[in-house]
Amino acid sequence: MSSPHPLVHGPDPLKRAQRQQRAALIAVAIGAGVTLGLVGVLVPQQRRQQAVDQSPLMIKPPVMDWLEDAVKGPAEQTALTPAPPSSRKWVSPLLKACPVADPVLQQRLVSMPLQLRRIQADPSNYGERTMVDAHGQRIDPTPAVIVLHETVYSLGSAVNTFTTPHPNDNDQASYHTLVGQKGEIVQVVDPSKRAYGAGHSAFDGRWVFTSKHFSGSINNFALHVSLETPADGMGPGQGHSGYSSAQYDALSRVIADWLVRYHIEPRAVTTHRYVDQGGARSDPRSFDWGELQKRLTALGLVC
């Protein structure tokens, strides 16, 4: 089911097809835990699907089966659903001055062992992706934007927050995935569910009202991933020493999975600071887009 608000307009069909072909081959390497040379390699569809199905990160969420049977409804923005405030257009740093793909980096990324664990967030801190908004309009809950965050405090503190019941709506919060300073990947909320990562938010002129008591939000069509903040950045402040190489490695693997699985364009990887409509968020502070760009380029997903 296509989104009524496409995130990308007029991509070059040839470049997009080439990028998707490279990404599909690399996804096999990621899923199978082996390294493949991309030149002259043809992977049968059955084998490619098997590798994707076996990947520890490539897990088809139940919502995808549900969406395949859904009936496309009218556009989300109607007279009953107010449009979000106008804002500056998002210009993705991932698509600027494309670097040359590094084959050594590619080999390291696709062959590195994943430090993956799953925890169960308290049900008060996440919800279902809905196909009907608070005004009764049919909407598309397919993930269409990836939002980068930081924890501000330790990984353990974030886990404790998300596993603690919060009966007060204003206290409820979660991300789909956390990435620790040593490269640990912690899945907190299944991607098929709606994590509460960005309350008053919009992206590319789109938000969703899931309740008449709250403002519009991107959570119904967003995926949220948060980097653990280094020790010198815990608490308020304009910046810190930045994130580790292991974090950028793990983050690129998480984002690569989501880009391929949900057919999200790289330009739809954005920040909490950008989508926040209240002007109070600044995360992820001290984020190096170049580090993420060179990894996603090596994986064949950008440039």
Side-chain angles (χ1 to χ4, degrees):
M1 180 169 58
S2 61
S3 168
H5 297 273
L7 295 176
V8 177
H9 305 281
D12 185 301
L14 178 59
K15 289 184 178 179
R16 182 173 182 179
Q18 291 172 338
R19 187 171 68 243
Q20 289 176 338
Q21 182 181 33
R22 292 196 305 270
L25 293 173
I26 291 173
V28 175
I30 292 175
V34 297
T35 303
L36 297 179
L38 297 185
V39 179
V41 177
L42 295 177
V43 182
Q45 178 64 32
Q46 183 177 5
R47 179 183 169 193
R48 179 162 62 243
Q49 185 60 49
Q50 181 181 14
V52 169
D53 290 342
Q54 292 175 349
S55 166
L57 280 180
M58 292 278 192
I59 302 173
K60 184 179 180 183
V63 75
M64 299 308 291
D65 292 324
W66 175 51
L67 290 174
E68 288 168 2
D69 297 328
V71 178
K72 183 178 179 181
E76 292 169 9
Q77 308 302 341
T78 68
L80 294 176
T81 306
S86 59
S87 61
R88 69 191 187 284
K89 183 179 180 181
W90 171 249
V91 179
S92 175
L94 291 176
L95 305 181
K96 295 180 179 179
C98 293
V100 176
D102 182 347
V104 176
L105 176 59
Q106 178 194 107
Q107 180 176 357
R108 176 164 64 81
L109 290 173
V110 299
S111 61
M112 75 178 200
L114 291 178
Q115 302 178 60
L116 175 65
R117 66 186 176 102
R118 294 177 175 85
I119 64 169
Q120 181 60 53
D122 186 83
S124 64
N125 291 318
Y126 68 94
E128 299 292 333
R129 295 189 187 273
T130 180
M131 295 182 65
V132 180
D133 71 8
H135 301 289
Q137 304 299 313
R138 293 188 66 84
I139 53 176
D140 182 359
T142 306
V145 59
I146 297 171
V147 185
L148 306 178
H149 303 256
E150 67 172 295
T151 60
V152 181
Y153 294 99
S154 70
L155 189 69
S157 176
V159 168
N160 183 63
T161 297
F162 302 149
T163 55
T164 299
H166 291 108
N168 186 332
D169 289 344
N170 293 323
D171 297 331
Q172 296 166 354
S174 61
Y175 306 122
H176 291 97
T177 301
L178 298 166
V179 178
Q181 293 183 55
K182 297 180 180 179
E184 317 96 299
I185 299 172
V186 182
Q187 181 176 291
V188 182
V189 175
D190 189 278
S192 66
K193 307 296 184 181
R194 175 165 51 98
Y196 300 157
H200 182 39
S201 56
F203 183 74
D204 267 9
R206 184 184 177 197
W207 63 9
V208 170
F209 285 79
T210 55
S211 169
K212 292 182 179 180
H213 303 292
F214 295 98
S215 177
S217 168
I218 64 171
N219 287 337
N220 201 58
F221 58 91
L223 292 164
H224 298 281
V225 56
S226 184
L227 294 158
E228 182 181 15
T229 301
D232 63 350
M234 294 185 183
Q238 295 300 312
H240 48 65
S241 57
Y243 308 99
S244 68
S245 178
Q247 281 180 293
Y248 284 110
D249 285 352
L251 177 66
S252 70
R253 288 286 300 270
V254 172
I255 291 177
D257 168 56
W258 288 347
L259 291 176
V260 172
R261 188 198 305 182
Y262 296 106
H263 307 288
I264 299 172
E265 287 292 332
R267 74 161 300 272
V269 179
T270 187
T271 65
H272 193 190
R273 178 176 183 173
Y274 176 77
V275 302
D276 175 50
Q277 297 297 297
R281 307 299 180 182
S282 59
D283 59 314
R285 298 167 297 169
S286 303
F287 186 79
D288 189 336
W289 282 96
E291 291 295 322
L292 178 60
Q293 183 192 44
K294 70 181 182 182
R295 286 165 171 79
L296 292 181
T297 298
L299 292 173
L301 290 166
V302 300
C303 302

